[in-house]
Amino acid sequence: MRPLTATIRLSHLRHNYQLLKRLHGNKMLAVVKADAYGHGAVRCARALADLADGFAVATLDEGIELREAGISAPIVMLEGVFEPAEYAAVDEYRLWPGVQNQWQLESLLAYRWREPVTVWLKMDSGMHRVGFFPQNFAPAHQALRQSSQVAHIVNMTHFARADEPEQPMTAAQLAAFETAVAGLSGVQSLANSAAIIAHPAARRDWGRAGIALYGIEPFPGACPELKPVMRLTSRIFAERTLQPGEPVGYGASFITERSTRIGIAACGYADGYPRTAQNGCPLTVNGQPSRLIGRVSMDMLAVELDHHQGVGSEVELWGDAVSVATVAQSAGTISYELLCHIKRANYVYQE
């Protein structure tokens, strides 16, 4: 089989949840949307089932997948439904829907629920993506409170720049939220990963741990105690020695300056490794520092070898020695995108 392996360390996942829960201090959702950021939603949720206060997904199908896998804890649909007919499945699978606009609100109130439902009511406190504007939040809240079909309301918002602790926008969003919810009942959920770590004032009744849950710091130096959950590795399956002045790969973007041994590893942009990663992007070969050379191809990439490395040598693309954030920076993107794009890898779960 092709030797590209994503090793998922579930003990690291549990460690990260417990660490973030201690920081937050109250209940905390484990965010497992987008297949747990590429780590496998069902396996990650099962590994956290005895720890997590609840889980967060983006969509109905993600919530159903967890329920059918035996997850019994609360599951929040952060985006809510995409059409009114979906409320029937939300009801059947006992999910907690997000409500972020008027039609979601009206169709939820019009649906005849088997049992009163817990609703996560979202405010747009300044990110301007989704949610009720602050001046419209109280009327939406009142409509839910007046319904006998609504059991509980969680007042929530989302920060646009919590991963930039020096920026004042988070404080401004927090102030806008506080003003709009003054006097309203219900518990609150404000803090994503970055806010859990960097903004103590945002730690309320429910936290939402996303990227940090998988061991990725939301900003440099945020929380060194986090442990990376995914380790992406491949192996060298071909090698050659090139003389000075020889090109490597498509576009001849790398030219050897000296006699150079190169190895070809089984991983490319069709597997999720970024094509935009630059020459010199760090990796390791048999645990020793090395670098990417040449342009990443669809199915393979080239690395520099020393005299003790060759066919069969392990290449760590990211994980313990090289952070996925470092690769993302080289590629001009973010860790989230790289983790979510992994395909064609053999997933190995370590308890």
Side-chain angles (χ1 to χ4, degrees), residues 1-213:
M1 294 177 64
R2 196 157 175 267
L4 179 64
T5 300
T7 303
I8 309 299
R9 284 81 64 89
L10 298 175
S11 61
H12 288 194
L13 183 73
R14 290 172 61 85
H15 164 86
N16 295 336
Y17 181 89
Q18 291 169 310
L19 173 62
L20 295 165
K21 174 75 180 286
R22 287 195 298 271
L23 280 174
H24 184 260
N26 291 310
K27 292 183 178 180
M28 193 173 74
L29 298 176
V31 182
V32 292
K33 63 179 180 174
D35 201 28
Y37 294 47
H39 292 71
V42 169
R43 291 298 298 267
C44 287
R46 285 175 173 167
L48 293 172
D50 64 330
L51 293 178
D53 300 303
F55 296 91
V57 298
T59 61
L60 175 61
D61 58 322
E62 291 179 338
I64 291 174
E65 179 185 39
L66 294 188
R67 282 284 184 256
E68 292 185 341
I71 301 301
S72 59
I75 299 173
V76 180
M77 295 168 52
L78 293 172
E79 293 186 21
V81 299
F82 293 100
E83 56 183 59
E86 291 184 344
Y87 278 125
V90 173
D91 190 10
E92 178 183 355
Y93 286 93
R94 299 172 290 105
L95 306 177
W96 289 358
V99 169
Q100 54 201 14
N101 56 52
Q102 192 64 27
W103 76 259
Q104 287 181 335
L105 174 66
E106 292 175 357
S107 56
L108 181 144
L109 293 172
Y111 178 77
R112 296 181 65 86
W113 295 85
R114 301 177 187 180
E115 296 180 359
V117 62
T118 293
V119 177
W120 284 54
L121 184 63
K122 188 166 190 176
M123 181 190 301
D124 178 1
S125 60
M127 188 171 182
H128 299 333
R129 189 174 61 178
V130 292
F132 289 89
F133 287 118
Q135 65 270 23
N136 300 325
F137 192 79
H141 187 279
Q142 183 178 12
L144 291 171
R145 272 193 64 194
Q146 290 176 341
S147 173
S148 61
Q149 300 195 93
V150 176
H152 304 285
I153 303 171
V154 180
N155 304 311
M156 71 176 298
T157 195
H158 192 57
F159 297 123
R161 304 185 75 176
D163 58 347
E164 301 173 86
E166 72 285 355
Q167 292 293 332
M169 186 174 179
T170 300
Q173 285 191 253
L174 185 57
F177 179 86
E178 296 279 17
T179 299
V181 302
L184 299 182
S185 63
V187 298
Q188 300 176 359
S189 177
L190 284 78
N192 58 0
S193 288
I196 288 171
I197 295 169
H199 301 277
R203 298 169 187 164
R204 301 299 172 88
D205 303 283
W206 282 94
R208 308 187 302 271
I211 192 67
L213 183 64

Side-chain angles (χ1 to χ4, degrees), residues 306-351:
D306 67 23
H307 294 294
H308 303 289
Q309 301 159 348
V311 171
S313 293
E314 181 191 73
V315 179
E316 181 186 279
L317 301 162
W318 64 64
D320 295 330
V322 178
S323 168
V324 65
T326 301
V327 180
Q329 183 178 28
S330 174
T333 186
I334 57 176
S335 302
Y336 302 71
E337 184 176 24
L338 300 190
L339 294 171
C340 290
H341 283 184
I342 294 302
K343 303 187 296 291
R344 304 197 305 182
N346 306 303
Y347 275 72
V348 175
Y349 289 88
Q350 293 179 350
E351 298 295 337

